[in-house]
């Protein structure tokens, strides 16, 4: 097998040209086989096999720098840089990341995980190279969806000023950018970068400049005529008008063609965009037909594409989806906003039922939040469904556009807490801290699926900014009998004992129950409180607990710094209560990829770890 010859970076350059298509096929088979076992991002990686091979054949890694936008399409890059054995432990704790990581390889130029960052990072590399007088190529690979993010355009605007080479590859998988078909465009892009043409252009302008008075006018006339022709014929004129050379479209699955365009791109003294048209999921029928389903795939049968896992219980996202549709039938002003995640956030059904009340703004979380503020100011009731780690990208907008104006925007914060295999860039472990620091913001967390439903209804009726955070995965269905009405700022007393109290937020309520059972086995009884509201904290409940509890244990799936536990501790310090507080929270650090249960054990927020900490504190 050819793939056996790929054991370190640049080994691909030793493969005969005529055998490259065979290697591409082996890489696809390798990806399908391995991701079917471990899960991971399949469709996006199948779509860039030839493009990645062409990059590695054209450039010299690690000297040259390739920056992958988002990074979930970097699997072939990892294979070609000697990491194919790492796929046995892909996205597992201690194993290889599903995203580029500088700590993992010198060939990973920049850590990525969120969208629309590659051009900014690449431009930084280019400027660093030029300031230091170094000589290497910089290539940013950005997907079409990532160009819906405003940050990409900020970077393009800045990059247009460059006078040195910077290559940007637009990986267009035909999912959201209109297909630009045309041999004329490809022909003109070759002519525009060919050396004879460049020399002729320079020579003509030099000669005309010598003509007194009329020389400048002739040059301007020629330029205007050329721009008019290009405007009519070249699909990349948007970039050209910014001052960025456009090459393409090029077949992203034709290695020879891509390499030829990349060689041309290296000749450009300035920023250049190479438009490569690819097929997401290429080579695997189910992924080609259903690219969204195989974007982040669970383990599956490689023959049929069907999931291996048993049918799971309803997830929190499913509960959110159901309630949103039911509430929309009752409330005509309810609208939903997503940043390119209708499937992931559960809004697909809402979109199908209420298309005129559904807004997908693309990968643009900052815009989504301010857009929702405008919707609210205009009299609607917007719900912005967004992953916790992606909401971080709109922190300023939450403050400036929603909370200062005290607008009734609902933030449905999905994937809050540990999410597992996607690692540091996707763990939703900061939202309680950053959201509860904002004046006018109300923050809630449900203990189970019924409380999520009740809280969403409450949030939709609430007349101000409010965030509802819930975790990834199966919705907890215990404690169904505890369903007190949602009252602003009020927690829920589940079990009432003396001496020790567990005050848990959201997903940690189930952990608190497990801890309670462990304590009962050794003769200790404890109170269990479902916090419900992280902001405002239920001070009345805290005052009650101070009466006959000498230890209050706060429990949250969020970092300790600025979290729920610190607010409880601050209250008791301010009131000089004779209560000891034990804060159970995630460490103030970035948490790597891995199974969620294992990560909880490593972070000491699982039931066994909490039990041990309580015994150590309670028996002192």
């Amino acid at each position: 097998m050819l793939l056996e010859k790929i054991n370190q970076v640049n080994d691909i350059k030793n493969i005969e040209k005529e055998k490259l298509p065979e290697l591409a096929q082996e890489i696809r088979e390798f990806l399908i086989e391995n991701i079917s076992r471990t899960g991971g991002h399949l469709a996006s990686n199948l779509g860039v096999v030839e493009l990645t091979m062409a990059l590695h054949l054209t450039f010299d890694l690690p000297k040259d720098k390739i920056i992958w936008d988002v990074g979930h399409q970097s699997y072939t890059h990892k294979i070609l840089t000697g990491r194919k054995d790492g796929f046995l432990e892909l996205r597992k704790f201690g194993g290889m990341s599903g995203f580029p990581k500088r700590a993992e390889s010198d060939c990973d130029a920049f850590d990525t995980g969120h969208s629309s960052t590659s051009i900014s990072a690449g431009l930084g590399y280019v400027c660093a190279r030029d300031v230091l007088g170094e000589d290497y190529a910089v290539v940013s690979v950005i997907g079409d969806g990532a160009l819906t993010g405003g940050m990409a355009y900020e970077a393009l605007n800045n990059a247009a000023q460059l006078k040195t080479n910077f290559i940007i590859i637009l990986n267009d998988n035909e999912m959201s950018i209109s297909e630009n078909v045309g041999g004329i465009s490809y022909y003109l892009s070759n002519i525009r970068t060919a050396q004879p043409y460049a020399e002729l252009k320079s020579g003509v302008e030099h000669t005309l400049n010598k003509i007194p008075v009329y020389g400048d006018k002739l040059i301007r006339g020629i330029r205007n005529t050329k721009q008019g022709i290009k405007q009519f014929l070249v699909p990349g004129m948007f970039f050209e008008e910014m001052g960025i050379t456009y090459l393409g479209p090029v077949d992203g699955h034709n290695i020879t063609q891509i390499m030829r365009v990349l060689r041309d791109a290296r000749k450009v003294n300035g920023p250049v965009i190479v438009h490569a048209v690819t097929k997401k999921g290429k080579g695997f029928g189910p992924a080609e037909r259903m690219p969204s389903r195989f974007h982040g795939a669970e383990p599956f049968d490689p023959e049929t594409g069907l999931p291996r896992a048993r049918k799971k219980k309803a997830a929190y996202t499913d509960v959110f989806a159901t309630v949103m549709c039911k509430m929309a039938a009752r409330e005509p002003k309810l609208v939903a906003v997503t940043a390119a995640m209708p499937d992931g956030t559960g809004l697909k059904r809402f979109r199908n039922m209420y298309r005129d009340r559904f807004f997908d703004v693309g990968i643009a979380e900052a815009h989504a939040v301010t857009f929702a503020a405008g919707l609210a100011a205009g009299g609607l009731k917007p719900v912005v469904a967004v992953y916790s780690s992606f909401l971080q990208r709109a922190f300023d907008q939450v403050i400036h556009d929603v909370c200062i104006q005290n607008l009734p925007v609902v933030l449905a914060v999905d994937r809050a807490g540990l999410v597992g295999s996607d690692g540091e860039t996707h763990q939703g472990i900061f939202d309680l801290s950053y959201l509860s620091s904002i004046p006018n913001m109300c923050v809630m967390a449900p203990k189970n699926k019924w409380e999520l439903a009740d809280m969403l209804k409450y949030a939709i009726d609430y007349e101000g900014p409010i965030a509802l955070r819930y975790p990834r995965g199966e919705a907890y269905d215990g404690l169904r009998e505890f369903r007190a009405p949602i009252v602003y700022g009020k927690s829920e007393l589940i079990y009432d004992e003396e001496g020790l109290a567990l005050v848990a937020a959201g997903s940690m309520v189930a952990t608190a129950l497990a801890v309670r059972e462990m304590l009962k086995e050794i003769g200790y009884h404890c109170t269990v409180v479902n916090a419900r509201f992280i902001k405002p904290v239920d001070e009345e409940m805290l005052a009650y607990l101070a009466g006959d509890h000498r230890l209050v244990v706060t429990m949250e799936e969020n970092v300790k710094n600025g979290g729920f536990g610190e607010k409880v501790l601050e209250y008791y310090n301010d009131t000089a209560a004779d209560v000891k507080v034990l804060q159970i929270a995630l460490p103030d650090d970035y948490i790597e990829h891995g199974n969620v249960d294992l990560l909880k054990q490593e972070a000491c927020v699982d039931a066994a770890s909490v039990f041990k900490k309580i015994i150590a504190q309670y028996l002192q």
Side-chain angles (χ1 to χ4, degrees):
M1 289 181 63
L2 293 172
L3 199 52
E4 293 176 354
K5 299 180 180 180
I6 306 296
N7 297 304
Q8 59 185 1
V9 63
N10 296 319
D11 275 355
I12 189 175
K13 294 178 179 178
N14 299 322
I15 303 295
E16 295 91 335
K17 181 179 178 181
E18 60 273 13
K19 292 186 178 180
L20 291 174
E22 182 182 342
L23 176 60
Q25 180 60 27
E26 288 185 16
I27 290 173
R28 282 198 169 86
E29 292 171 357
F30 177 89
L31 290 173
I32 293 167
E33 178 185 351
N34 281 275
I35 298 174
S36 71
R37 290 186 298 99
T38 63
H41 292 94
L42 181 63
S44 55
N45 283 289
L46 293 177
V48 296
V49 172
E50 289 86 0
L51 174 59
T52 308
M53 290 171 63
L55 284 167
H56 280 255
L57 287 163
T58 304
F59 298 97
D60 182 21
L61 274 65
K63 177 186 175 184
D64 295 327
K65 314 300 179 186
I66 300 175
I67 300 168
W68 300 90
D69 208 283
V70 184
H72 58 232
Q73 75 280 49
S74 64
Y75 290 6
T76 300
H77 166 77
K78 295 197 175 204
I79 293 171
L80 297 179
T81 50
R83 286 176 274 175
K84 63 177 183 285
D85 290 343
F87 281 84
L88 294 172
E89 300 295 320
L90 177 68
R91 308 199 318 153
K92 294 181 180 179
F93 182 73
M96 187 170 71
S97 171
F99 296 88
K101 294 189 74 171
R102 296 170 68 206
E104 191 177 283
S105 171
D106 290 341
C107 296
D108 291 356
F110 200 80
D111 290 11
T112 50
H114 287 183
S115 170
S116 313
T117 64
S118 63
I119 302 177
S120 296
L123 179 58
Y125 256 115
V126 168
C127 292
R129 174 196 68 192
D130 295 347
V131 169
L132 296 174
E134 296 178 339
D135 179 26
Y136 56 82
V138 179
V139 183
S140 292
V141 184
I142 186 166
D144 52 352
L147 276 179
T148 61
M151 184 176 175
Y153 293 96
E154 294 173 22
L156 283 172
N157 180 63
N158 197 200
Q161 306 172 55
L162 283 176
K163 302 301 180 186
T164 57
N165 185 255
F166 175 28
I167 300 171
I168 302 163
I169 296 179
L170 169 57
N171 172 32
D172 174 9
N173 58 27
E174 300 181 312
M175 293 283 289
S176 59
I177 291 183
S178 299
E179 184 179 7
N180 290 314
V181 178
I184 292 290
S185 172
Y186 182 65
Y187 172 74
L188 288 179
S189 70
N190 282 339
I191 290 178
R192 195 159 62 246
T193 56
Q195 197 65 31
Y197 172 78
E199 291 174 356
L200 175 62
K201 173 185 171 185
S202 177
V204 169
E205 290 189 0
H206 180 71
T207 301
L208 290 176
N209 269 323
K210 294 181 179 180
I211 302 175
V213 182
Y214 297 103
D216 286 343
K217 292 181 180 179
L218 287 170
I219 290 173
R220 285 196 298 271
I222 290 172
R223 284 177 177 168
N224 289 338
T225 301
K226 182 183 71 173
Q227 290 299 102
I229 294 171
K230 284 161 67 179
Q231 188 83 40
F232 181 70
L233 295 174
V234 181
M237 273 309 296
F238 170 78
F239 303 109
E240 292 274 355
E241 292 288 0
M242 291 181 71
I244 302 172
T245 301
Y246 170 89
L247 306 179
V250 59
D251 181 357
H253 300 296
N254 186 317
I255 298 173
T256 301
Q257 193 177 100
I258 303 168
M259 290 178 65
R260 184 166 65 244
V261 176
L262 289 175
R263 285 193 293 267
D264 287 342
R266 296 193 74 163
K267 301 172 187 176
V268 177
N269 289 322
V272 53
I273 280 188
V274 175
H275 179 179
V277 178
T278 62
K279 176 72 174 178
K280 195 169 187 179
K282 183 174 176 61
F284 185 50
E288 288 188 11
R289 293 190 298 272
M290 298 172 288
S292 295
R293 183 178 142 196
F294 286 90
H295 173 74
E298 297 294 328
F300 61 90
D301 183 339
E303 296 298 323
T304 64
L306 296 175
R308 293 185 189 272
R310 62 178 174 81
K311 184 175 177 59
K312 296 180 179 180
K313 298 178 182 178
Y316 280 102
T317 304
D318 299 326
V319 176
F320 167 78
T322 298
V323 177
M324 279 293 291
C325 291
K326 289 182 178 179
M327 289 298 291
R330 305 175 198 171
E331 175 51 77
K333 292 183 179 180
L334 178 64
V335 295
V337 180
T338 182
M341 298 291 288
D343 290 332
T345 60
L347 287 177
K348 183 177 180 179
R349 202 188 326 164
F350 187 100
R351 177 192 64 190
N352 294 338
M353 294 176 66
Y354 303 98
R355 190 164 292 273
D356 61 335
R357 292 155 62 183
F358 169 81
F359 303 94
D360 186 344
V361 301
I363 305 176
E365 292 83 4
H367 162 59
V369 170
T370 300
F371 170 65
L375 291 171
L380 296 176
K381 294 191 173 183
V383 175
V384 182
V386 59
Y387 289 4
S388 171
S389 68
F390 296 162
L391 181 59
Q392 294 162 186
R393 297 158 66 86
F395 180 59
D396 177 65
Q397 287 72 23
V398 173
I399 295 174
H400 186 273
D401 301 319
V402 175
C403 289
I404 286 180
Q405 300 184 81
N406 205 26
L407 290 168
V409 172
V410 179
L411 300 177
V413 187
D414 200 339
R415 306 300 199 269
L418 296 170
V419 299
S421 300
D422 285 333
E424 295 98 325
T425 58
H426 286 60
Q427 310 286 17
I429 61 177
F430 302 105
D431 57 87
L432 291 187
S433 299
Y434 68 76
L435 287 174
S436 61
S437 70
I438 306 173
N440 288 341
M441 175 60 73
C442 175
V443 184
M444 301 186 296
K447 68 178 183 293
N448 58 22
K449 64 182 183 180
W450 293 286
E451 195 159 79
L452 171 59
D454 294 343
M455 283 185 172
L456 180 55
K457 295 171 185 175
Y458 177 87
I460 290 170
D461 290 336
Y462 186 73
E463 294 298 327
I466 189 166
L468 171 58
R469 65 107 67 172
Y470 44 95
R472 180 182 188 178
E474 293 184 10
Y476 179 57
D477 57 6
L479 297 175
R480 183 175 184 176
E481 66 275 24
F482 293 92
R483 198 171 179 178
I486 308 296
V487 178
Y488 179 75
K490 295 302 177 184
S491 56
E492 179 185 41
L493 187 61
I494 296 176
Y495 297 110
D496 192 5
E497 305 283 353
E498 293 183 2
L500 167 65
L502 307 178
V503 185
S507 61
M508 293 299 286
V509 171
T511 305
L513 295 181
V515 172
R516 179 176 183 268
E517 292 303 312
M518 297 171 76
L519 288 169
K520 283 173 64 177
E521 288 181 4
I522 61 171
Y524 288 96
H525 297 277
C526 67
T527 293
V528 176
V529 176
N530 168 25
R532 284 190 166 181
F533 287 83
I534 284 72
K535 184 185 180 186
V537 171
D538 187 353
E539 295 184 353
E540 184 178 342
M541 176 62 74
L542 296 181
Y544 169 75
L545 296 178
D548 54 9
H549 295 79
R550 59 190 179 95
L551 176 65
V552 171
V553 182
T554 63
M555 302 173 63
E556 61 190 305
E557 203 171 326
N558 187 81
V559 294
K560 183 177 180 180
N561 192 5
F564 173 67
E566 285 200 351
K567 291 171 177 55
V568 173
L569 180 60
E570 181 182 18
Y571 169 80
Y572 284 131
N573 286 339
D574 289 347
T575 57
D578 185 20
V579 176
K580 192 171 186 177
V581 177
L582 171 61
Q583 298 179 61
I584 302 297
L586 297 171
D588 294 328
D589 202 352
Y590 302 105
I591 297 177
E592 65 172 287
H593 54 277
N595 174 272
V596 170
D597 290 337
L598 180 57
L599 293 179
K600 286 183 177 181
Q601 292 173 25
E602 289 292 319
C604 297
V605 296
D606 64 304
S609 298
V610 176
F611 171 76
K612 291 177 182 177
K613 287 184 179 181
I614 289 173
I615 295 301
Q617 295 278 348
Y618 196 66
L619 295 179
Q620 286 181 350

